[in-house]
Amino acid sequence: MLSISNKRALTERGSADIRRGLMLAFVISLFATGVAQAQDKPKLILQITVDQLRGDLPTRYYDRLGEGGFRYLWESGIVYRDAHHAHANTETIVGHATLATGAHPSNHGMVGNLWFDRETGFTTYNVEDANYSLLTKGASVDANTEIDPTQRAARSEGRSPAAMLVTTFSDELCSNTGGNAKVIGVSVKDRGAISMAGHSGTAYWFSKANGEFVTSTYYLDKYPDWVNAFNAAKPAQQFAGTEWQLLHDQDTYLFADSDDREWETDVGGFGRVFPHSFGDGSSKYFTTWLTLSPPGDRLVLDFAKQALVAEKLGQDSVTDYLSVSFSSTDYVGHVFGPSSLEAEDNILRLDRTLADLIAFVDKKVGLENTLIVLSADHGGPDTPGYLNGMHIPAGYVDPDSWDKDAAITRIKDEFDIDGDLIAAYDHPYVYFSDAVKNNRKIDQEALEAAVVEELSKLHGVSLAVSSTALRRGNLPDTDLFRAVVNNFNSKRSGEVFIVFEPNWFINDMEGLIVASTHGSPWRYDTYVPIVFAGAGLTAQTVDRRVQTVDVAVTLSTYMGIKPPSGSAGVPLTEVLEK
Ligand SMILES: [Zn+2]
């Protein structure tokens, strides 16, 4: 039970403590004989999150994967083949925060990439924080080139995990070790790095405005030398004058004959067919193109490697934590669809990126000393065009038209509402306007019920649930309702929760028309891989239904530390057996 690293830690204390410690160790070891537990704590926990890696994608092209990437994880690790998010709004921050905290969004508070803040009267971006600024000047979001609409909604450039209401596994690791565990989160996306680094770690992400990795003054007053050196080498510029080409001969691909599909998005001239040119590096979309293609993941890989070496992660007896969140799969999925030639090539290249990361960690720390866990923040739907081609019903919906819908106009007349009834639709919530919310003459519950009834009838809407109904409980005991309840936070959720029909979703991302969008409680969005590997684990395939809230609790149980404060999951026992 008592690990070697614990013994080593004890010897670093005073001599009286040592004697007491060794006595205690002896007594504990007597009682611990035969307990099936992790014997030696790993030197490093490597948490890999692939944005929009639907559960089927790692094995969809399995026969064409190389060695050491997905194959290493799937063939030497514990693979959970029926893993799902248990919340309804399957968006990036919601899934990352759930993996990090083991809590449902109802408790961790990240109910969506955006929510309407009633106190300020503005839509809020999940990791924005006006109390801080970026540590690099000129690196904040450029509204002219930013294609991520949630980023454009942020009203200040500062970033922090302040809106995350509970602790992460990484926080608990820091807390358990008196702050000695080193915790670093890296991603292209700020929210992909910040959520996993927790409140006590350090997060770095890629600024599309200047092509460098940056952080916020929440974390640091000054960059370490290695970050300055990394950025000084102009990492993005290595891709200027190059193009995204297929890794293999085109005729070996499943989607070889369907490169040009009308629903794919041409972002700023990047095109819909191979090769996709990055130009000479001068385009205002240059860094954006890097993020919606494999180079985004390569940049994150290179930065993570530097972090591992320079910060000496996994080099002493205190277990360190490195989170690497890869974002290209998500952007490629949105822009081209998950069943496209681009997405297929991206998976094959992601496999090489993973192999590179795993080999590097093996060399520097040793895989026997590293517990790896890979999962995803959410899955994703196929594009309606692709599905319709196989006679599967699918399509796009447009919530912006709802406030003008005849039925909503009738409700306004009935409740004597002059201005807007719907102030915002921040997916998946309808927020009523302040004027309506604050009007004491209006029976709010009756109004919610009337809106729910009308929105439920709209084309593409499967279910509408009012907040009053969610607060009251007593809902049908189904996966769908449980997922909506798991997503409900009374301070941040809106008045009505909308679930679209399966394979129906919004494709207008604030002006950018994309091929597909996740964010539903349907299985293609909740289904993700969960794989634990390294650290002497024995290969195993598990078909029991498990949830993403189980990941953080498994890590804390494995480490023998207290679970994150809001965690709802249960330990995955296969990982704890040795
Ligand atoms: Zn996405």
Side-chain angles (χ1 to χ4, degrees), residues 51-52 92 113 189 191 330-331 334 377-378 509 518:
D51 208 311
Q52 205 185 129
T92 300
N113 281 336
K189 294 183 182 180
R191 56 191 183 276
D330 181 63
Y331 287 124
H334 282 295
D377 54 348
H378 52 75
M509 289 170 73
H518 49 85

Side-chain angles (χ1 to χ4, degrees), residues 327-481:
S327 310
S328 294
T329 303
D330 181 63
Y331 287 124
V332 170
H334 282 295
V335 169
F336 302 102
S339 296
S340 61
L341 188 59
E342 283 82 1
E344 184 176 0
D345 192 66
N346 175 68
I347 291 291
L348 299 178
R349 287 184 180 272
L350 170 66
D351 177 55
R352 298 299 79 219
T353 301
L354 290 174
D356 192 329
L357 175 63
I358 291 166
F360 190 79
V361 168
D362 191 22
K363 199 167 97 191
K364 298 296 177 187
V365 185
L367 293 178
E368 68 282 9
N369 301 315
T370 306
L371 179 63
I372 303 176
V373 55
L374 177 141
S375 189
D377 54 348
H378 52 75
D382 273 304
T383 60
Y386 178 76
L387 294 170
N388 292 163
M390 283 163 259
H391 307 291
I392 298 171
Y396 299 121
V397 287
D398 177 21
D400 287 345
S401 63
W402 292 348
D403 198 66
K404 290 164 201 72
D405 188 88
I408 298 294
T409 310
R410 271 202 309 282
I411 293 174
K412 283 197 213 173
D413 288 345
E414 189 186 325
F415 286 83
D416 208 11
I417 297 165
D418 278 344
D420 285 347
L421 163 57
I422 297 173
Y425 178 80
D426 288 323
H427 183 80
Y429 292 107
V430 173
Y431 292 85
F432 292 171
S433 71
D434 270 356
V436 167
K437 282 282 285 179
N438 299 331
N439 188 337
R440 292 182 177 272
K441 287 187 198 141
I442 296 175
D443 179 342
Q444 299 288 336
E445 200 178 328
L447 176 63
E448 282 183 17
V451 171
V452 161
E453 193 182 335
E454 290 306 330
L455 290 183
S456 301
K457 292 178 194 160
L458 291 179
H459 192 55
V461 173
S462 171
L463 177 74
V465 192
S466 75
S467 286
T468 306
L470 292 172
R471 266 193 208 96
R472 198 172 281 149
N474 204 16
L475 297 161
D477 186 24
T478 64
D479 280 358
L480 193 59
F481 275 97

